[in-house]
Amino acid sequence: MTKKGTEKMWQELLQFPMGKRTAKPRTTGITMIIDKGLGLGETRDLLNLAGDYIDFLKLGFGTAALYYNEVLEEKIHLVTSHGVDIYPGGTFLEVAVLQDKLRQYLAMARDFGFTAVEISDGTIDMSLQLRAQAISTACEMGFKVLSEVGKKDPDNEFEIKDIIRLVNHDLSCGACHVIVEGRESGKAVGLYDREGNLIMSELEELVYSVRDASKLIWEAPLKEQQQELIIRFGPNVNMGNINPHEVLALEALRAGLRADTLKAVLQRT
Amino acid sequence: MTKKGTEKMWQELLQFPMGKRTAKPRTTGITMIIDKGLGLGETRDLLNLAGDYIDFLKLGFGTAALYYNEVLEEKIHLVTSHGVDIYPGGTFLEVAVLQDKLRQYLAMARDFGFTAVEISDGTIDMSLQLRAQAISTACEMGFKVLSEVGKKDPDNEFEIKDIIRLVNHDLSCGACHVIVEGRESGKAVGLYDREGNLIMSELEELVYSVRDASKLIWEAPLKEQQQELIIRFGPNVNMGNINPHEVLALEALRAGLRADTLKAVLQRT
Amino acid sequence: MTKKGTEKMWQELLQFPMGKRTAKPRTTGITMIIDKGLGLGETRDLLNLAGDYIDFLKLGFGTAALYYNEVLEEKIHLVTSHGVDIYPGGTFLEVAVLQDKLRQYLAMARDFGFTAVEISDGTIDMSLQLRAQAISTACEMGFKVLSEVGKKDPDNEFEIKDIIRLVNHDLSCGACHVIVEGRESGKAVGLYDREGNLIMSELEELVYSVRDASKLIWEAPLKEQQQELIIRFGPNVNMGNINPHEVLALEALRAGLRADTLKAVLQRT
């Protein structure tokens, strides 16, 4: 992109309170958005506004199967030409796994031009062996692989020790990132309690026990969650399931240009 | 529309877990969206993305009275040219009834190009006779008529028996669908309790007692409501007051390509 | 604007229940929207749809610092050419105050073409003297000045008497409006309790004690708050932090073309 950001102009004038953000292509400070059905115009508009602040775009759930052909192809082209990776939601892949069509599913996703895939078992059961095979197959086919840990069902909780083992397993199989499940709601799932608060003790255990915590992407759809993660891990924490209309607001939060993180900076000093 | 959906391509590969969806023009499996102020570009974008999944577009409340002339005309043309019916919100018609201008109101709506109207008394009182007359007048004028049952005020609840009588009355007067009130919030209204949960006993009584339950459209703005209705009635249940940005996500829910309905399918088998 | 509204056509037919709305440029009946990241296309679309119903557009928080140069300039031009004032969020200015760069900040905002600024101390501490100076400097530089009263932190509540004093202070310094803080959430802040209900006793005290209550703008992001304010103060109450996608719905509420204000009118008569 040849566009010039105002960021530099303002930064010559003012220091951004939370400190320096990584630039694209970045390996930390990642923002993944969940797209529940952005039209082509809306997508173009968003990328022209905030393309530098988006690393991954997920076509939520199985919505990728519901597009007109031409629209999907143009959308994928549009997104990737802005240096943003795009992938279909994990539930869609789970349907393929259920029907024993994983390889065909991946081939079709590649033909459409998707650059990444998510390997998850939020709804189905998947053996560790199949999971390893899915990750390495997708890697071989040239995809960036994001795996996901955590069940979507609040009554079917993992033990934190199992999550840690799974994170390490997936990273060793070739996943470039591991997503910590937060769903679209951010409540009563994974490391969030029923009110959507982070369960800090489990989070700390997770972060200290995995091979490389900088590869975790936290699904954090709610502003309070984003804020807590930024205050805990700094402006370059990886976050996912961000509402596309909140990308710039999130970026302001990362920069300390929004009340809640600014306040945290002030309290420290 | 000559666009080719990816749906078929994917369906050659995978079975959609919830089974077959009806196609447009459809009489069941209807999706009605509530438009609280989509611009022309946004509307075009949405129809290009998901026109096949939208049957009715309601200009919410009395917003139809607040458009620029040119914008309203172009919007109505745009919507109908995608095979989607469009109508002004019921509250607007209630204002006309209050001021004894129903016929003039309908004439003006027809002149603008609206193809449907909603006959409701969510806020005002309307005799059964006037209601019958309103429905048949609108039918004669060439509108598709959607009537609505249920009060907007939680302290002014209908008895379920009265609702059943009203549904049968409206259908016999010529209404093509009867909408079960859920408002924009989906809470403490109609068949929803204060948390937005469906009151199942009343729902079952309603469904078993009306002349033709397939003509009911459930206002179901919240995802949990949509999910419950799909699990109870299948992918082709009629739903209304859908947020325009949720149309594709709802369609994924109908198809079983989203965790919550997929899980329900898995539990059955 | 030369567009013709349908409003007049409908008003020849029907009386709008809540009575007459002021027209632009207006000094009461103001609607201020919070823009958390509208793209250029979305902004154009919104202004073409509802430009007559928007008086101020705030680029929320510090998002103004995160635009591409060309996009920001075009956006500001677009907004002002529709007769809408535009300004960067107050938190951004607070960062400038913290770093003792207020004057440079204002100069840069003026160079970009912003027509208004917000003077607030929602997160930082600011002496009354500095506040007075900031307001009058901004006025001298040609900005419309909106000051804001109320802390963003629920544990750091002002006394209502202090708020009254501050409102009078700011008006006498040259502020054209004083905003009563409601944040983006509208809960547990300013005159809103934890559920977002207006604390009526404080509101009444405020309204009766300030020099000119018609200059207050109430941040009212939630529909119930908008509704209460309209019922209490009439259709031309000033409201802020309105979601851009709710502008037309708010206008329907102001006009009495939406169930909740229509009901209030009916109950009075």
Side-chain angles (χ1 to χ4, degrees):
Chain A
M1 255 164 296
T2 57
K3 283 182 188 157
K4 207 174 64 187
T6 65
E7 215 171 323
K8 278 183 201 140
M9 302 173 61
W10 290 108
Q11 282 187 341
E12 279 170 28
L13 188 68
L14 302 175
Q15 282 188 298
F16 288 2
M18 288 295 289
K20 209 169 163 44
R21 275 281 279 142
T22 51
K24 277 175 72 170
R26 54 174 80 86
T27 52
T28 62
I30 280 175
T31 294
M32 175 266 275
I33 63 173
I34 180 169
D35 173 342
K36 301 196 290 177
L38 297 174
L40 280 179
E42 228 175 332
T43 308
R44 191 174 297 113
D45 219 32
L46 174 67
L47 292 166
N48 285 337
L49 181 78
D52 275 0
Y53 305 126
I54 304 171
D55 301 280
F56 290 94
L57 182 151
K58 169 171 71 179
L59 296 185
F61 332 114
T63 55
L66 303 169
Y67 279 72
Y68 301 115
N69 218 340
E70 302 84 335
V71 177
L72 182 58
E73 283 173 0
E74 194 177 335
K75 187 163 183 175
I76 291 175
H77 177 74
L78 186 62
V79 170
T80 54
S81 71
H82 277 81
V84 174
D85 282 298
I86 180 166
Y87 64 95
T91 302
F92 196 14
L93 177 137
E94 295 184 40
V95 172
V97 168
L98 272 176
Q99 299 180 15
D100 205 15
K101 296 271 178 74
L102 177 63
R103 192 172 281 274
Q104 295 94 312
Y105 170 88
L106 291 174
M108 193 146 153
R110 193 183 48 189
D111 289 349
F112 268 114
F114 285 105
T115 59
V117 289
E118 181 185 312
I119 309 285
S120 64
D121 58 357
T123 309
I124 65 170
D125 290 319
M126 200 194 274
S127 72
L128 215 59
Q129 193 187 357
L130 181 54
R131 188 178 178 100
Q133 192 191 321
I135 294 175
S136 48
T137 303
C139 286
E140 281 160 23
M141 289 173 76
F143 290 108
K144 292 190 186 178
V145 177
L146 301 98
S147 76
E148 189 180 60
V149 295
K151 284 283 175 188
K152 293 193 187 298
D153 186 342
D155 302 330
N156 190 346
E157 275 308 317
F158 271 57
E159 289 289 314
I160 187 75
K161 287 197 178 10
D162 296 330
I163 292 192
I164 292 165
R165 201 172 302 130
L166 209 51
V167 169
N168 289 336
H169 169 268
D170 292 355
L171 290 177
S172 72
C173 291
C176 64
H177 292 288
V178 181
I179 298 167
V180 183
E181 172 74 80
R183 300 210 65 180
E184 197 204 332
S185 64
K187 290 182 181 172
V189 65
L191 304 185
Y192 298 113
D193 68 17
R194 290 194 177 273
E195 275 70 47
N197 301 308
L198 273 167
I199 306 169
M200 272 295 175
S201 59
E202 300 210 338
L203 177 139
E204 298 292 345
E205 191 179 344
L206 180 59
V207 164
Y208 283 110
S209 308
V210 297
R211 252 174 49 166
D212 186 351
S214 77
K215 302 228 162 148
L216 297 172
I217 297 178
W218 308 89
E219 287 189 350
L222 305 180
K223 190 205 117 191
E224 286 70 22
Q225 300 168 345
Q226 298 160 10
Q227 174 186 328
E228 259 197 278
L229 288 165
I230 292 168
I231 290 172
R232 172 64 183 78
F233 295 112
N236 291 306
V237 61
N238 305 323
M239 286 181 278
N241 276 13
I242 303 302
N243 181 326
H245 293 102
E246 299 279 342
V247 168
L248 224 56
L250 171 63
E251 202 58 32
L253 204 58
R254 287 183 186 272
L257 295 173
R258 196 167 167 184
D260 306 276
T261 46
L262 175 59
K263 196 172 62 187
V265 173
L266 296 181
Q267 282 168 349
R268 272 182 216 158
T269 55
Chain B
M1 255 164 296
T2 57
K3 283 183 189 157
K4 208 173 65 187
T6 64
E7 215 171 322
K8 278 185 199 136
M9 302 174 60
W10 290 109
Q11 282 188 342
E12 280 170 29
L13 188 68
L14 302 175
Q15 283 188 298
F16 287 2
M18 289 294 289
K20 209 169 163 43
R21 275 282 279 143
T22 51
K24 277 175 72 169
R26 54 173 81 86
T27 52
T28 62
I30 281 175
T31 294
M32 175 266 275
I33 62 173
I34 180 169
D35 173 343
K36 301 195 289 177
L38 297 175
L40 280 178
E42 228 174 333
T43 308
R44 191 175 297 113
D45 219 32
L46 174 67
L47 292 167
N48 285 337
L49 181 79
D52 276 0
Y53 305 127
I54 305 171
D55 302 280
F56 289 94
L57 183 152
K58 169 171 72 179
L59 296 185
F61 332 113
T63 55
L66 303 169
Y67 279 71
Y68 301 115
N69 219 340
E70 303 84 333
V71 176
L72 182 58
E73 283 173 359
E74 194 177 335
K75 187 163 184 176
I76 291 176
H77 177 73
L78 186 62
V79 171
T80 54
S81 71
H82 277 79
V84 174
D85 283 298
I86 180 166
Y87 65 96
T91 302
F92 197 14
L93 177 137
E94 296 183 39
V95 172
V97 168
L98 273 176
Q99 299 179 16
D100 205 15
K101 296 271 178 74
L102 178 64
R103 194 172 278 274
Q104 297 94 311
Y105 170 88
L106 291 174
M108 193 146 154
R110 194 182 48 188
D111 289 349
F112 268 113
F114 286 106
T115 59
V117 288
E118 181 185 311
I119 309 285
S120 64
D121 58 356
T123 309
I124 64 169
D125 290 319
M126 202 195 272
S127 72
L128 215 58
Q129 193 187 356
L130 181 54
R131 188 179 178 100
Q133 193 191 321
I135 295 174
S136 48
T137 303
C139 287
E140 281 159 25
M141 290 173 75
F143 290 109
K144 293 190 187 178
V145 176
L146 301 99
S147 77
E148 189 180 58
V149 295
K151 284 284 176 188
K152 293 193 188 297
D153 186 342
D155 301 331
N156 190 346
E157 275 308 317
F158 271 59
E159 289 290 313
I160 186 75
K161 286 198 178 7
D162 295 331
I163 292 192
I164 293 165
R165 202 171 302 131
L166 209 50
V167 170
N168 290 336
H169 169 268
D170 292 354
L171 290 177
S172 72
C173 291
C176 63
H177 293 287
V178 180
I179 298 167
V180 183
E181 171 75 80
R183 300 209 66 179
E184 197 203 332
S185 64
K187 291 181 182 174
V189 64
L191 304 184
Y192 298 113
D193 67 17
R194 291 196 175 273
E195 274 71 46
N197 301 307
L198 274 166
I199 305 169
M200 272 295 174
S201 59
E202 301 210 337
L203 176 140
E204 298 291 346
E205 191 178 345
L206 181 58
V207 166
Y208 284 110
S209 308
V210 297
R211 250 175 51 165
D212 187 350
S214 77
K215 302 227 163 149
L216 297 172
I217 297 178
W218 309 88
E219 288 189 350
L222 305 180
K223 191 205 117 192
E224 287 69 22
Q225 300 168 345
Q226 298 159 11
Q227 172 186 329
E228 259 198 278
L229 288 166
I230 292 169
I231 290 172
R232 171 65 183 77
F233 296 113
N236 291 306
V237 61
N238 305 323
M239 286 181 278
N241 275 14
I242 303 303
N243 182 326
H245 292 100
E246 299 279 342
V247 169
L248 225 55
L250 171 63
E251 202 59 31
L253 204 58
R254 287 183 186 273
L257 296 174
R258 196 166 166 183
D260 307 275
T261 47
L262 175 59
K263 197 173 63 189
V265 172
L266 295 181
Q267 282 168 349
R268 271 182 218 158
T269 55
Chain C
M1 256 164 298
T2 59
K3 283 182 188 158
K4 207 173 65 188
T6 65
E7 215 171 323
K8 278 185 200 137
M9 302 173 61
W10 290 109
Q11 282 188 342
E12 280 169 28
L13 188 68
L14 302 175
Q15 283 188 297
F16 287 2
M18 287 295 289
K20 207 167 164 47
R21 275 281 279 142
T22 50
K24 277 174 71 168
R26 54 174 80 86
T27 52
T28 62
I30 280 174
T31 294
M32 175 266 275
I33 63 173
I34 179 169
D35 174 343
K36 301 196 291 177
L38 297 174
L40 280 178
E42 228 174 334
T43 308
R44 192 174 296 112
D45 219 32
L46 174 67
L47 292 166
N48 285 337
L49 180 79
D52 276 0
Y53 306 126
I54 304 171
D55 302 280
F56 290 94
L57 182 152
K58 169 171 70 179
L59 296 184
F61 332 114
T63 56
L66 302 169
Y67 279 72
Y68 301 115
N69 219 340
E70 302 84 333
V71 176
L72 183 58
E73 283 173 359
E74 194 177 335
K75 187 163 184 176
I76 291 175
H77 177 72
L78 185 63
V79 170
T80 53
S81 71
H82 277 80
V84 174
D85 282 297
I86 180 167
Y87 65 96
T91 302
F92 197 14
L93 177 137
E94 296 183 40
V95 172
V97 168
L98 272 176
Q99 299 179 15
D100 205 15
K101 296 272 178 73
L102 177 64
R103 193 172 279 273
Q104 296 95 312
Y105 170 88
L106 291 174
M108 192 145 153
R110 193 182 49 188
D111 289 349
F112 268 113
F114 287 105
T115 59
V117 288
E118 181 186 311
I119 309 285
S120 64
D121 58 356
T123 309
I124 64 170
D125 289 319
M126 201 194 272
S127 72
L128 216 58
Q129 191 186 359
L130 181 53
R131 187 178 178 101
Q133 191 190 324
I135 294 174
S136 49
T137 304
C139 286
E140 281 159 25
M141 290 173 75
F143 291 108
K144 292 190 186 178
V145 177
L146 301 98
S147 76
E148 189 180 59
V149 294
K151 283 284 177 187
K152 293 192 188 297
D153 186 341
D155 303 330
N156 190 347
E157 276 307 316
F158 270 58
E159 288 290 313
I160 187 74
K161 286 198 177 13
D162 296 331
I163 292 192
I164 292 164
R165 200 171 304 129
L166 208 51
V167 169
N168 290 335
H169 169 268
D170 292 354
L171 289 177
S172 73
C173 291
C176 63
H177 293 287
V178 180
I179 298 167
V180 183
E181 171 75 80
R183 299 210 66 179
E184 196 203 332
S185 64
K187 290 181 182 175
V189 63
L191 303 186
Y192 299 113
D193 68 17
R194 291 197 175 271
E195 274 71 46
N197 302 307
L198 273 166
I199 306 169
M200 272 296 175
S201 59
E202 300 209 339
L203 176 140
E204 298 292 345
E205 190 178 345
L206 181 60
V207 165
Y208 283 110
S209 308
V210 298
R211 252 174 50 166
D212 186 350
S214 77
K215 302 228 162 148
L216 297 172
I217 297 179
W218 309 88
E219 287 189 350
L222 305 179
K223 190 204 117 193
E224 287 69 23
Q225 299 167 345
Q226 298 160 10
Q227 173 186 328
E228 260 197 277
L229 288 165
I230 292 168
I231 291 172
R232 172 64 184 78
F233 296 113
N236 292 305
V237 60
N238 304 324
M239 285 181 278
N241 276 13
I242 303 301
N243 181 326
H245 292 101
E246 300 279 342
V247 169
L248 224 56
L250 172 63
E251 202 59 31
L253 204 59
R254 287 183 186 273
L257 295 173
R258 196 168 168 183
D260 306 276
T261 46
L262 174 59
K263 198 174 62 188
V265 173
L266 295 181
Q267 283 169 348
R268 271 181 217 159
T269 55

